[in-house]
Amino acid sequence: MKKFLEKIVTGVITCSGFLTSVIILLIVLFLFSEGFGLFSQKTIEDGYALVVNKENPVNELDAKQIKEIFDEDVTNWKQVGGRDEAVMLFRFDDMQKFFNEEQLGKNYENAGRCIDSLVDKNSGIIAFVPENFVGNDFTGKRLDDHHISGTEVFFGSEWFPTATPAPQFGFLPLVLGTVWVTVFAILFALPFGLAVSIYMSEVASEKMRKVLKPVIELLNGIPSVVYGFFGLIVIVPLLQDVFGLPVGESGLAGAIVLAIMALPTIITVSQDAMMNCPRSQREASLALGASKWQTIYKVVMPYSISGITSAVVLGIGRAFGETMAVLMVTGNAAVIPLSITDPLRTIPATIAAELGEAPAGGPHYQSLFLLGVVLFFITLIINSSVEYISSKNKK
């Protein structure tokens, strides 16, 4: 009977492990399939077309050039490889500026012919119109619409997924913002975390250790939104006054909040690693004439380096994946940060803020899943690096 129960328990555990692995694999496959679907999407907004005069030598524009033209940063066709001629912008919303109701028709049934005549008369025009008004008999030229490329996505410097006529899906400001705030958070948290863990494992009395450890572990249970609220009320105004910033929401505020959130993890894991250092090694070091601090530095910390690096990577993981607290204090600006006091936006904050508003299956929706893929690979690289360093240190 006992062996039969053991077999049942073993089977349940095996099935649970197998199902968990399959579910995780399916989640990863779903993430990848949705994310990489972005590269099958067209640059120009679905259902619309860009048309120019038939004499215009320009046949294709990338997303950046289209945005610069419609933002009026580019005002001459020569700037995008065309003739030396002024650019004339036309959007479908401008129809009533050029044509009256009689010309357009009561239900816009003549809109196609009106657009055709306008494009034919103006050699420098570029029109953004619904593609159903661009028929086979259209006398103008429709610009070629290429698929969104990896270069535009991974090296693009602008994130504006709702821009028209060509959304911008540049990941660079989001990736740099995430790395920027995480690196500074660990730089702030690591010295303090190691100092506290050394104090608790090597200096503090047993009574003090029993008081401090539950308090520090309790900090891990505080919801991230509470940390974000604390940062918004206390840290942001303080930084604004100290550095004379126009707004206190910045990468520095996010780094400080994340450092506070990562401290309990770093302290707890590092302390446990140091406590596992054999007493015989400590006593041998002291017997050879080393001081207490020399023993800590030369014996305890080298022995515990694997646990300390694990604490660091767990802290980095907490900082990398944090959403709400970062969203509240970093300014939520999708721009490339030039200093730690600049507002920025991280990948998790972007996904949390925009996924609910992105139309399912559209390029904006798919780009957010692709951001999740990027975050997955960054975390994988960090974990692999730490595992390599830990195994090397053990040897």
Side-chain angles (χ1 to χ4, degrees), residues 40-306:
S40 64
Q41 298 282 356
K42 297 285 188 177
T43 299
I44 300 170
E45 187 178 347
D46 190 33
Y48 287 83
L50 283 178
V51 294
V52 296
N53 186 275
K54 60 185 176 181
E55 301 297 330
N56 195 323
V58 175
N59 294 313
E60 185 178 1
L61 296 170
D62 60 33
K64 184 178 180 183
Q65 290 173 325
I66 295 171
K67 183 178 182 301
E68 288 175 345
I69 288 173
F70 279 83
D71 285 348
E72 299 187 32
D73 295 325
V74 171
T75 56
N76 193 297
W77 283 106
K78 189 176 181 181
Q79 296 174 262
V80 290
R83 295 177 298 197
D84 186 8
E85 185 176 16
V87 175
M88 175 184 171
L89 297 177
F90 177 80
R91 296 178 176 85
F92 189 69
D93 296 340
D94 300 329
M95 289 291 288
Q96 293 185 353
K97 295 180 183 178
F98 294 87
F99 307 99
N100 56 38
E101 186 176 347
E102 184 179 349
Q103 291 172 310
L104 292 171
K106 188 175 181 181
N107 297 313
Y108 273 51
E109 61 268 16
N110 300 324
R113 289 196 296 271
C114 292
I115 294 171
D116 194 356
S117 65
L118 183 66
V119 172
D120 189 55
K121 291 177 184 177
N122 296 276
S123 59
I125 194 171
I126 179 169
F128 176 56
V129 295
E131 60 182 3
N132 58 310
F133 290 122
V134 185
N136 295 328
D137 57 345
F138 187 72
T139 58
K141 181 170 65 175
R142 179 172 177 170
L143 293 181
D144 295 335
D145 189 6
H146 66 280
H147 290 93
I148 296 171
S149 68
T151 303
E152 292 173 342
V153 172
F154 295 112
F155 298 100
S157 59
E158 190 165 357
W159 173 262
F160 194 178
T162 57
T164 54
Q168 307 293 300
F169 297 108
F171 283 5
L172 201 57
L174 306 179
V175 173
L176 290 178
T178 304
V179 174
W180 196 244
V181 74
T182 302
V183 167
F184 276 92
I186 296 303
L187 288 177
F188 295 153
L190 188 56
F192 289 103
L194 283 179
V196 174
S197 60
I198 290 171
Y199 169 77
M200 290 182 63
S201 66
E202 304 298 322
V203 179
S205 63
E206 186 66 26
K207 186 177 180 181
M208 180 62 72
R209 193 180 296 128
K210 287 182 178 179
V211 172
L212 288 178
K213 191 172 178 67
V215 172
I216 292 172
E217 290 177 346
L218 185 64
L219 295 176
N220 263 331
I222 297 176
S224 60
V225 69
V226 176
Y227 283 107
F229 186 71
F230 169 77
L232 195 62
I233 299 300
V234 178
I235 297 175
V236 167
L238 181 63
L239 294 178
Q240 189 172 3
D241 293 338
V242 171
F243 292 97
L245 302 173
V247 289
E249 289 89 349
S250 61
L252 181 58
I256 293 173
V257 171
L258 287 179
I260 296 171
M261 296 177 68
L263 271 175
T265 301
I266 294 174
I267 292 170
T268 302
V269 178
S270 297
Q271 184 209 349
D272 291 341
M274 292 178 187
M275 292 289 288
N276 287 330
C277 180
R279 183 177 176 182
S280 58
Q281 291 196 17
R282 291 187 176 90
E283 291 175 349
S285 175
L286 295 171
L288 290 171
S291 66
K292 188 170 187 176
W293 290 107
Q294 286 175 328
T295 300
I296 293 171
Y297 177 70
K298 295 288 187 179
V299 177
V300 176
M301 291 191 68
Y303 182 87
S304 311
I305 193 66
S306 178

